């Protein structure tokens, strides 16, 4: 701790100092070693004066020792000899600093960094709140206390280094130097609190917070817009995807190719088909329709089949659908329809009119838009009030539904009655339960015997699926158009047979043989069969024309087109009829030549 520093050797021209302790600010305190105690090599050494001011009595440490007392430096050359400047007292132990050069030396007041009241009642400035900014410079006295420092190259000729110590500027002549009169008040702005500064800070914080809130609101609004756009996009994509999957997307052909439901080739779509034959037990006659459930496109359809549809029997005989139902029954007709339409019918449902009436009553009546006034078929007198009124949303009971489904006005084509039957079937499906178990119970309640392989459970489940489609609006009714000869055209093959049934039309070849319709009016039932055999052996196509209500004495061979006159003459020759029997007239639907066998027909002659 008794380290000694030879500042003289450092080039400052002063006697050596030694460290004796630390002051209350933690700064080292040195004391000067008397000259007689200094090392011998320093006692006779001329002090170094870096500014060459030995002649002016400059004592950088104001010790008064080791130098010649010369007049003080007069910077203005007034000729006066001011009194020697007092020595530097770094701790204010001597006279205090007089910043205004009054010469008065008030009683020194110790520096109180915590602003405790002085004995005379004055308030000392608080160290933490009133501390002025002081440029950090190092003077000779500081270098004496901190060996190793460097002298300020800008020190003035009066020896003052222009810095303040704890009590003011240091160095000789500092109290009177106006240019170097730095006081604490001049730097009060550095740390003095300003009353408006808090308001400014608060306003800046408020502005910043408001700006942040606005930006956050904008970010949230943008996020909501983006989220809404994403949701709408997902909904749109989902809707389009659903329409594509179900085959309802506009502009998308169901006959295209692809993997979706709507683009699956019609030939690859899965369908369940059942043929239903409505038998009118009161007036006679039948009505036929196909119930189609397309499980790929989720579409249900009732396809109405005209009775004039030409079908081919197992023996190659051409006949009509109506005759096939009467003669060949459900099983034979199903096979013939599969051949003509290229379909795969899973079962046949014979629905007699009494069962239809019970079915409508079981589902709780049906609602239809009727297109005709239908008289009561059980009325004894004509001209009474109609059983079914024409109009929108007419509620029909079982009896009314049967009367409407079988009604055919005078002069109407059979297709008009067939379309009414289709309306009744779709109305029943809309009221039938979509639950397979409940629908099966309804079928079983009818207590009808179904044609194998169709069972009550199979029919109930099938009708329940169609009922679900009918309630959802995914059900329609289509009429299969046929030509006057009962054959199918390319247009009908594309619109119904191909698109709805997924089949290929295979009507009997119209150019292969002359089609001959035969009606028996001889009164002998076997004559029809004998005529059929003769015509088939002659290369003609036989069409069953039925049995006339009465007998005729003379046979007739009729043709409608002049091109068929020769064919009619050939038919008469084949059957053994006279040439006078050939005449121009109306022919049966689907036939080229019509024959009415009379009493003059002799099968043995053929």
């Amino acid at each position: 701790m008794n380290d000694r520093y030879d500042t003289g050797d450092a080039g400052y021209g002063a006697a050596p100092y030694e460290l004796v302790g630390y002051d209350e600010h933690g700064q080292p305190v040195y004391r000067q070693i008397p000259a007689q105690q200094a090392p011998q090599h320093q006692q006779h050494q001329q002090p170094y004066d870096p500014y060459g001011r030995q002649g002016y009595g400059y004592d950088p440490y104001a010790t008064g020792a080791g130098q010649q007392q010369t007049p003080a430096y007069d910077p203005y050359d007034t000729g006066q000899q001011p009194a020697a400047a007092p020595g530097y007292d770094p701790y204010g132990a001597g006279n205090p600093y007089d910043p205004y050069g009054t010469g008065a030396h008030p009683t020194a007041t110790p520096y109180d960094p915590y602003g405790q009241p002085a004995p005379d009642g004055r308030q000392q400035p608080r160290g933490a709140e009133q501390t002025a900014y002081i440029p950090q410079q190092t003077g000779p006295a500081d270098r004496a206390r901190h060996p190793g420092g460097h002298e300020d190259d800008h020190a003035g000729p009066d020896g003052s280094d222009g810095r303040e110590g704890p009590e003011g500027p240091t160095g000789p002549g500092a109290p009177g130097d106006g240019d170097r009169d730095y006081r604490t008040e001049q730097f009060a702005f550095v740390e003095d609190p300003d009353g408006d500064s808090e308001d400014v800070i608060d306003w800046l914080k408020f502005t910043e917070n408001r700006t942040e809130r606005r930006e956050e609101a904008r970010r949230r609004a943008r996020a909501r817009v983006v989220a809404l756009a994403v949701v709408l996009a997902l909904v749109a994509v989902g809707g389009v995807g659903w329409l594509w999957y179900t085959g309802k997307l506009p502009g998308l052909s169901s006959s295209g190719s692809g993997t979706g439901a709507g683009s699956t080739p019609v030939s690859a779509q899965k369908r369940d088909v059942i043929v239903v034959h409505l038998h009118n037990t009161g007036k006679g006659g039948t009505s036929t329709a196909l119930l189609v459930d397309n499980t790929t496109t989720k579409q249900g359809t009732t396809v109405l089949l005209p009775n004039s549809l030409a079908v081919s029997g197992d023996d190659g005989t051409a006949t009509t659908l109506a005759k096939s139902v009467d003669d060949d029954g459900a099983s034979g007709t199903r096979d013939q329809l599969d051949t003509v339409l290229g379909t795969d019918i899973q079962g046949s449902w014979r629905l007699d009119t009494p069962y239809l009436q019970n079915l409508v009553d079981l589902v709780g009546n049906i609602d239809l838009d009727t297109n005709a006034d239908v008289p009561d078929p059980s009325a004894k007198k004509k001209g009474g009030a109609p059983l079914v009124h024409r109009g929108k949303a007419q509620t029909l009971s079982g009896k009314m539904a049967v009367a409407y489904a079988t009604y055919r006005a005078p002069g109407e084509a059979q297709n008009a009655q067939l379309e009414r039957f289709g309306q009744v079937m779709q109305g029943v499906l809309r009221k039938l339960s979509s639950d397979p178990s409940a629908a099966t119970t309804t079928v079983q309640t009818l207590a009808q015997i179904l044609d194998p392989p169709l069972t009550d459970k199979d029919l109930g489940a099938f009708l329940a699926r169609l009922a679900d489609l009918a309630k959802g609006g995914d059900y329609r009714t289509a009429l299969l158009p046929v030509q006057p000869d009962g054959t199918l055209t390319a247009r009908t093959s594309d619109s119904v047979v191909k698109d709805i049934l997924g089949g290929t039309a295979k009507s009997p070849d119209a150019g292969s043989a002359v089609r001959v319709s035969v009606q028996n009016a001889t009164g002998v039932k076997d004559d029809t069969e004998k005529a059929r055999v003769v015509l088939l052996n002659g290369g003609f196509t036989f069409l069953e024309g039925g049995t006339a209500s009465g007998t005729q004495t003379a046979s007739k061979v009729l043709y409608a087109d002049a091109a068929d006159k020769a064919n009619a003459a050939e038919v008469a020759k084949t059957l053994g009829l006279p040439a006078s029997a050939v005449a121009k007239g109306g022919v049966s639907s689907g036939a080229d030549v019509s024959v009415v066998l009379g009493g003059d027909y002799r099968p043995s002659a053929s």
Side-chain angles (χ1 to χ4, degrees):
M1 182 159 182
N2 293 328
D3 297 336
R4 296 186 177 182
Y5 298 92
D6 188 353
T7 59
D9 290 344
Y12 297 98
Y17 283 77
E18 67 176 349
L19 178 67
V20 297
Y22 297 88
D23 60 10
E24 61 184 3
H25 303 289
Q27 302 294 333
V29 178
Y30 302 91
R31 75 178 181 85
Q32 184 177 7
I33 302 176
Q36 60 273 17
Q37 298 181 3
Q40 184 176 2
H41 71 279
Q42 294 182 0
Q43 294 181 5
H44 301 283
Q45 184 176 2
Q46 182 68 23
Y48 170 71
D49 184 1
Y51 301 102
R53 297 169 182 165
Q54 294 87 346
Y56 297 96
Y58 171 71
D59 186 358
Y61 301 103
T63 59
Q67 296 189 24
Q68 181 180 0
Q69 299 296 329
T70 59
Y73 168 65
D74 184 3
Y76 303 102
D77 195 19
T78 59
Q80 298 179 359
Q81 299 295 330
Y88 171 71
D89 187 359
Y91 302 103
N95 292 331
Y97 164 60
D98 183 8
Y100 302 100
T102 59
H105 299 286
T107 304
T109 303
Y111 169 73
D112 185 1
Y114 300 99
Q116 298 297 329
D120 57 359
R122 291 178 300 164
Q123 181 70 27
Q124 294 290 339
R126 297 183 61 87
E129 299 180 357
Q130 301 293 336
T131 303
Y133 172 79
I134 304 176
Q136 297 297 322
Q137 299 180 4
T138 304
D142 293 335
R143 279 190 287 269
R145 296 171 60 189
H146 302 281
H150 299 282
E151 184 179 7
D152 187 359
D153 294 336
H154 302 285
D158 59 351
S160 174
D161 57 5
R163 291 175 297 130
E164 295 184 7
E167 297 296 332
T170 60
D177 191 353
D179 295 335
R180 300 285 182 170
D181 188 11
Y182 300 119
R183 296 184 300 279
T184 303
E185 301 84 56
Q186 292 177 301
F187 301 93
F189 68 90
V190 177
E191 293 186 5
D192 284 349
D194 189 351
D196 296 336
S197 61
E198 293 296 333
D199 295 339
V200 173
I201 294 174
D202 292 342
W203 171 252
L204 292 176
K205 290 181 178 179
F206 170 76
T207 304
E208 182 179 1
N209 292 339
R210 184 172 63 177
T211 303
E212 292 178 352
R213 286 194 299 269
R214 289 178 177 175
E215 291 297 329
E216 182 64 24
R218 293 191 185 99
R219 285 192 294 269
R220 287 197 298 267
R222 286 193 296 268
R224 292 191 189 100
V225 172
V226 172
L228 179 60
V230 171
V231 171
L232 293 178
L234 292 177
V235 171
V237 171
V240 173
W242 173 252
L243 292 176
W244 170 80
Y245 179 78
T246 58
K248 299 178 182 178
L249 188 65
L252 183 63
S253 174
S254 61
S255 60
S257 60
T259 58
S263 59
T264 302
V266 292
S267 59
Q269 296 173 7
K270 187 179 183 303
R271 299 170 180 84
D272 294 329
V273 182
I274 288 181
V275 58
V276 54
H277 302 291
L278 177 64
H279 286 259
N280 188 346
T281 58
K283 294 183 177 181
T286 60
S287 301
T288 303
L290 298 178
L291 303 180
V292 183
D293 176 21
N294 191 322
T295 59
T296 303
T297 61
K298 308 298 181 183
Q299 178 69 45
T301 308
T302 296
V303 178
L304 304 175
L305 304 180
N307 284 337
S308 61
L309 175 65
V311 295
S312 298
D314 293 337
D315 58 356
T317 303
T319 186
T320 62
L321 176 61
K323 292 297 293 182
S324 177
V325 174
D326 290 337
D327 297 341
D328 301 329
S331 179
T333 302
R334 181 175 68 247
D335 294 338
Q336 294 174 16
L337 289 175
D338 283 341
T339 301
V340 172
L341 302 177
T343 58
D344 182 15
I345 301 174
Q346 287 82 31
S348 298
W349 180 21
R350 174 169 175 156
L351 184 63
D352 295 347
T353 50
Y355 291 112
L356 176 59
Q357 179 175 337
N358 293 338
L359 179 60
V360 173
D361 291 336
L362 286 173
V363 298
N365 300 335
I366 60 176
D367 297 323
L368 301 179
D369 294 337
T370 59
N371 58 16
D373 290 333
V374 180
D376 187 354
S378 63
K380 296 181 180 180
K381 294 182 179 181
K382 296 182 179 180
L387 178 63
V388 177
H389 292 274
R390 177 178 181 177
K392 295 284 187 179
Q394 297 294 313
T395 300
L396 306 183
S397 63
K399 181 180 178 180
M400 298 167 65
V402 169
Y404 184 77
T406 59
Y407 177 69
R408 180 178 178 182
E412 277 189 334
Q414 193 260 338
N415 290 346
Q417 174 269 320
L418 193 60
E419 290 176 351
R420 295 187 183 102
F421 170 52
Q423 284 184 277
V424 172
M425 290 304 301
Q426 187 167 347
V428 170
L429 292 174
R430 283 198 298 263
K431 295 297 292 292
L432 189 68
S433 175
S434 300
D435 179 62
S437 299
T440 300
T441 301
T442 302
V443 172
Q444 292 172 345
T445 306
L446 294 176
Q448 67 176 132
I449 299 175
L450 301 176
D451 295 328
L454 189 63
T455 64
D456 294 341
K457 185 177 181 180
D458 293 339
L459 180 59
F462 177 78
L463 294 178
R465 294 197 302 269
L466 292 181
D468 185 61
L469 296 174
K471 293 174 183 177
D474 298 320
Y475 201 94
R476 58 176 173 167
T477 300
L479 175 67
L480 177 66
V482 297
Q483 299 185 92
D485 60 358
T487 59
L488 303 175
T489 64
R491 181 179 61 84
T492 59
S493 298
D494 291 339
S495 61
V496 177
V497 176
K498 182 179 179 181
D499 294 342
I500 299 177
L501 300 176
T504 302
K506 297 178 181 179
S507 295
D509 189 359
S512 61
V514 177
R515 289 164 294 181
V516 180
S517 173
V518 177
Q519 185 181 35
N520 188 354
T522 64
V524 181
K525 185 175 181 181
D526 293 341
D527 288 348
T528 303
E529 180 63 21
K530 293 177 180 180
R532 185 182 72 83
V533 172
V534 171
L535 290 174
L536 290 176
N537 292 335
F540 296 98
T541 298
F542 175 81
L543 298 178
E544 176 64 49
T547 301
S549 58
T551 61
Q552 296 183 13
T553 58
S555 298
K556 296 180 180 179
V557 180
L558 305 176
Y559 63 91
D561 192 347
D564 292 326
K565 181 178 180 180
N567 294 329
E570 187 66 26
V571 168
K573 183 178 179 180
T574 303
L575 291 173
L577 298 174
S580 60
V582 177
K584 185 175 182 179
V587 298
S588 300
S589 175
D592 299 320
V593 177
S594 290
V595 175
V596 178
L597 297 175
D600 59 348
Y601 172 64
R602 299 293 183 261
S604 58
S606 59

